[in-house]
Amino acid sequence: MSGYRLELPTIQNWSCHNCGGCCRQHLIEVTDEEKRRIESQGWTPADGIPADRPIFVWHAGAPWNKQYRLGHQPDGGCVFLDERGLCRIHAKFGEAAKPLACRIYPYAFHPAGQEVTVSLRFSCPSVVGNKGKPISQQKEDVKATARLVVPEDVTKLPPPPIHAAERLDWSDTLRIVGAIEDSLIQDEGSVIARLLRTLYWMEFLGKATFSKIRGERIDELIDLIREASYTDVPTVGDTPLPTSIARMQFRLLVAQYARRDTALELERRWSYRWKLLRAATRFARGQGMIPPLQAAFREVPFEAIEASFGGLPAGADELFTRYLEVKIHGMHFCGRGYYDIPVVEGFFALALVVPAVLWLARWLAVGADRKQLILEDIERALAIADHHHGYDPALGQSTARRRVRQLAATNEIGRLVAWYSR
Ligand code: SF4
């Protein structure tokens, strides 16, 4: 490795359980070299590859510079996925013969000064369920995966700005990231209470100027505003309700997380876009029935989502805490790990994942005729939402970013967190 230390998410376990889920929901882009390699493997229908589906689909780029992805079967699975949920390329030619994207999943590697920090994608059910071998015992495998993607100059990459007007060096940037982690993970109270307090001091930090403040003085500043958060932040029960405008903005964000853009739907380009537009209009109105954006959801009234669900089920605190720790520690919320956006804005976007997941979990529960959440609702909702977080280009575009900033500027994020956790 080119002179960096690898920082692992040591609280997390993971092993592949061959569920084949990643091969059903991801679009696997292939480089020209990978395309040539797979072509040279000589796949035919005799190997079980569907005769009526292309192995490669032109999905981006001009006719003289086409970019390809792997084709999909009629049920949405990759053309190489067999009936047992296993990869035919892996079975016949070994792991190294697969496209890079398949080999890396569910890991994500991000620069952190002299370190490369490792995060995981919670779209994988084994990551959500914390199933498998501790990551701390897989250091050599993770190092080998890192070698495939981490650029040579990774230790020279600049840190993300703190907010639009402030950029610090890596040491002070990581000092702030460490304080977020400490406040969210180590502090007292439920994960919801910790999130409300962290939102409070991050709102201050988003307006701070650091012209003369460096090193330990940043710690002192954060300690001061964290101290104030204990008296100034209302309890979850006393947090004001989100306004109707905030809830409308938030539903549009939720609609983005609720999508499942399968290869087949993307191939029906115009009719799919029309379907999404109609769904967005209904999400904006928030009345009547919720249009199911993927098979996991049933058509239920918007109104049912707004009722009290009696709090979070056992295990939800651990799940959200672990999720937030992996994402913060793995720098999977800002900079290279999240559309190159600043630390404070990236934190607000990550905080919004919590109420978005709770909204989707409520939708799953109502669809199963329940008025209370069970842990499985939250696990399924988190896998659905995290599939998009940091990977769906729409979430990195100005409309979605403006929505997050606006909800933060009007102090609505904490209200949404409290409202959907009750
Ligand atoms: S190439 Fe193999 S691992 Fe990659 S998506 Fe297809 S079936 Fe899954």
Side-chain angles (χ1 to χ4, degrees):
M1 288 193 290
S2 52
Y4 60 82
R5 287 188 308 278
L6 206 57
E7 183 65 25
L8 299 178
T10 49
I11 51 153
Q12 182 70 44
N13 303 330
W14 178 75
S15 302
C16 176
H17 289 77
N18 293 322
C19 69
C22 49
C23 309
R24 287 194 182 85
Q25 63 175 333
H26 293 283
L27 299 178
I28 303 296
E29 293 176 24
V30 287
T31 62
D32 291 344
E33 192 273 325
E34 287 172 332
K35 183 169 178 284
R36 279 193 297 275
R37 186 173 74 221
I38 293 170
E39 281 165 345
S40 73
Q41 292 167 353
W43 295 97
T44 69
D47 296 299
I49 304 294
D52 58 341
R53 304 290 303 170
I55 290 183
F56 302 102
V57 175
W58 170 24
H59 84 120
W64 56 90
N65 184 27
K66 291 180 180 176
Q67 288 156 34
Y68 290 91
R69 63 168 172 80
L70 294 182
H72 281 72
Q73 305 180 39
D75 69 355
C78 168
V79 279
F80 289 109
L81 190 66
D82 74 12
E83 42 301 318
R84 296 163 302 159
L86 301 176
C87 172
R88 289 190 170 90
I89 303 181
H90 194 141
K92 197 167 175 183
F93 295 100
E95 201 262 340
K98 294 195 292 190
L100 188 60
C102 309
R103 297 175 67 189
I104 294 163
Y105 185 85
Y107 289 110
F109 301 90
H110 304 121
Q114 294 306 304
E115 293 176 347
V116 168
T117 186
V118 183
S119 179
L120 287 153
R121 296 187 64 178
F122 279 64
S123 50
C124 169
S126 297
V127 175
V128 173
N130 207 19
K131 291 181 188 153
K133 206 167 152 185
I135 300 287
S136 55
Q137 292 174 18
Q138 306 188 51
K139 191 160 190 175
E140 291 313 309
D141 291 343
V142 182
K143 267 188 193 170
T145 309
R147 275 189 216 106
L148 300 171
V149 279
V150 174
E152 281 291 313
D153 63 348
V154 67
T155 55
K156 297 193 176 69
L157 296 174
I162 303 302
H163 55 75
E166 286 288 345
R167 189 187 286 273
L168 301 172
D169 63 14
W170 266 117
S171 154
D172 284 339
T173 303
L174 293 176
R175 189 181 285 278
I176 290 172
V177 173
I180 300 173
E181 199 180 331
D182 188 62
S183 174
L184 268 180
I185 314 304
Q186 308 298 342
D187 218 338
E188 60 196 46
S190 69
V191 69
I192 300 299
R194 283 179 263 133
L195 185 51
L196 295 183
R197 287 200 299 270
T198 311
L199 278 162
Y200 170 90
W201 67 260
M202 285 296 281
E203 278 156 17
F204 274 90
L205 207 73
K207 295 173 199 134
T209 48
F210 294 89
S211 51
K212 292 198 179 127
I213 305 175
R214 292 288 186 277
E216 286 176 4
R217 293 199 59 203
I218 294 178
D219 294 335
E220 288 166 18
L221 171 73
I222 292 175
D223 284 348
L224 211 65
I225 40 180
R226 268 182 77 178
E227 198 59 42
S229 74
Y230 287 98
T231 47
D232 290 4
V233 176
T235 61
V236 178
D238 289 337
T239 302
L241 309 187
T243 63
S244 56
I245 293 176
R247 268 188 270 171
M248 187 266 282
Q249 292 279 357
F250 174 68
R251 279 194 306 274
L252 288 168
L253 187 68
V254 170
Q256 202 63 47
Y257 285 116
R259 286 166 57 165
R260 184 167 184 208
D261 301 332
T262 64
L264 293 182
E265 278 175 316
L266 292 175
E267 282 167 21
R268 292 183 214 119
R269 190 180 284 200
W270 292 110
S271 66
Y272 185 53
R273 280 192 187 175
W274 176 238
K275 179 182 152 185
L276 290 179
L277 191 66
R278 276 184 302 153
T281 311
R282 284 166 69 180
F283 268 87
R285 284 181 53 226
Q287 287 169 3
M289 305 299 272
I290 313 174
L293 288 167
Q294 57 171 292
F297 298 114
R298 273 180 50 200
E299 205 174 44
V300 304
F302 277 102
E303 200 183 20
I305 307 293
E306 304 300 317
S308 169
F309 276 60
L312 302 187
D317 207 287
E318 182 281 329
L319 176 56
F320 279 130
T321 302
R322 179 161 48 82
Y323 174 73
L324 293 168
E325 180 163 2
V326 169
K327 296 290 167 175
I328 299 285
H329 195 80
M331 296 293 284
H332 210 165
F333 71 103
C334 62
R336 289 251 171 162
Y338 195 76
Y339 312 110
D340 277 321
I341 72 174
V343 172
V344 174
E345 185 186 333
F347 172 75
F348 290 144
L350 181 66
L352 275 163
V353 174
V354 173
V357 165
L358 291 171
W359 203 101
L360 296 177
R362 285 166 170 234
W363 189 358
L364 292 169
V366 176
D369 299 321
R370 280 185 279 101
K371 290 183 176 163
Q372 286 194 320
L373 296 179
I374 58 173
L375 183 61
E376 194 195 335
D377 297 326
I378 299 182
E379 289 179 334
R380 289 177 64 202
L382 181 54
I384 289 168
D386 198 59
H387 171 67
H388 298 279
H389 195 72
Y391 295 89
D392 180 344
L395 289 172
Q397 283 171 1
S398 55
T399 311
R401 288 186 56 185
R402 209 170 28 247
R403 192 168 286 142
V404 170
R405 288 198 300 267
Q406 206 164 350
L407 288 170
T410 48
N411 297 324
E412 292 285 352
I413 299 180
R415 294 173 184 187
L416 290 161
V417 169
W419 178 252
Y420 290 109
S421 65
R422 79 202 198 289

